[in-house]
Amino acid sequence: MIDVLYFAWVRERIGLPRERLETSAVTVAALVDELRAREERYEAAFADLSSLRVALDQELANFDAPLAGVREVAFFPPMTGG
Amino acid sequence: MRVSVQTDPFDLGAESNAFAAAQTTAGAVVTFTGLVRDNGGTLAAMEIEHYPGMTERAIRAIMDQAVGRWSLEDALVIHRHGRLTAQEPIMMVATAARHRADAFAAAEFLMDYLKSRAPFWKKEIGTDGAEWVAAKAEDEAALTRW
């Protein structure tokens, strides 16, 4: 099981802030493919990966990063702090 | 070095004074404060979302990098989240160093990295609708100078 978190407009498009998933995905990209296949709202949120960022266990990562041992995946738009 | 991620307002004067007063070896203190900007007078509020847990970690990691690059005696980052109104302080950075060049450079570095690498997202609530603030290419490009 893996915790998947969504922030900002990703959260709004998907309609929930977090969920617990059973996945066999080996990489972030494979997990994204699984999510996109689920429902239209996921397809809408993940349509353009260049406008998304991902963190694995609260560290920024790439979409080709492996998911082995990861407990928490977060998807969000580019950050706008400061 | 202190990091505070909070909803409450902060007192810029009190924080700056306390930071400066706590120094024992610094000869320079630089502070920067970010305010909620109202572009054109249509802003009703700004909502700032963040990623609890990762936010503090990311800011600490950015501070650690700054300490590794400049001769810093101390640093402070306060960043608010939640609902803010125009001209309210959003965040502040303070740096203390023996000499001003280190304090200025480290403060700019912290600001550049907080903009694009600390997990905050701003949403502008306008009088005619709400919109997420898009990250600017120039903010990402600013990181390359370091």
Side-chain angles (χ1 to χ4, degrees):
Chain A
M1 296 292 275
I2 197 162
D3 287 311
V4 185
L5 282 65
Y6 310 108
F7 291 97
W9 57 255
V10 184
R11 170 179 55 74
E12 289 180 343
R13 280 188 202 173
I14 292 173
L16 75 175
R18 64 188 300 153
E19 59 188 320
R20 202 133 217 257
L21 297 178
E22 191 76 64
T23 178
S24 55
V26 175
T27 62
V28 175
L31 174 63
V32 168
D33 288 342
E34 278 185 11
L35 290 168
R36 287 177 72 160
R38 285 171 91 186
E39 282 177 57
E40 177 56 35
R41 58 200 170 110
Y42 289 93
E43 176 65 34
F46 289 105
D48 177 14
L49 288 191
S50 71
S51 67
L52 287 177
R53 300 291 179 268
V54 60
L56 302 180
D57 288 331
Q58 305 189 355
E59 298 273 358
L60 284 173
N62 294 315
F63 282 89
D64 56 5
L67 284 180
V70 171
R71 286 163 303 170
E72 186 172 293
V73 181
F75 295 104
F76 42 79
M79 295 157 271
T80 52
Chain B
M1 291 199 291
R2 183 161 73 93
V3 174
S4 179
V5 179
Q6 60 188 53
T7 53
D8 289 341
F10 58 88
D11 183 328
L12 172 60
E15 294 290 352
S16 301
N17 285 335
F19 182 80
Q23 304 310 318
T24 54
T25 50
V29 167
V30 165
T31 66
F32 170 85
T33 311
L35 307 178
V36 176
R37 188 177 47 235
D38 185 352
N39 295 319
T42 57
L43 189 80
M46 177 174 274
E47 283 178 5
I48 302 176
E49 180 172 335
H50 81 117
Y51 183 170
M54 180 174 168
T55 309
E56 293 80 358
R57 276 173 73 147
I59 296 173
R60 287 261 170 222
I62 293 166
M63 276 177 150
D64 287 347
Q65 276 194 64
V67 167
R69 294 185 60 147
W70 291 279
S71 182
L72 281 188
E73 307 298 305
D74 198 3
L76 164 70
V77 173
I78 300 174
H79 204 304
R80 295 175 66 194
H81 60 97
R83 194 176 177 94
L84 282 69
T85 54
Q87 304 310 131
E88 271 192 80
I90 300 177
M91 56 86 63
M92 72 172 286
V93 158
T95 54
R98 294 184 67 79
H99 303 286
R100 72 176 187 276
D102 285 315
F104 272 117
E108 280 220 272
F109 171 89
L110 288 171
M111 281 313 307
D112 280 350
Y113 270 82
L114 286 168
K115 273 228 166 279
S116 312
R117 291 293 182 273
F120 291 98
W121 300 275
K122 296 191 182 108
K123 190 182 200 179
E124 291 177 341
I125 315 297
T127 45
D128 53 357
E131 200 166 344
W132 289 99
V133 175
K136 294 191 191 78
E138 67 221 50
D139 289 338
E140 189 65 30
L143 303 187
T144 59
R145 67 175 166 143
W146 303 109

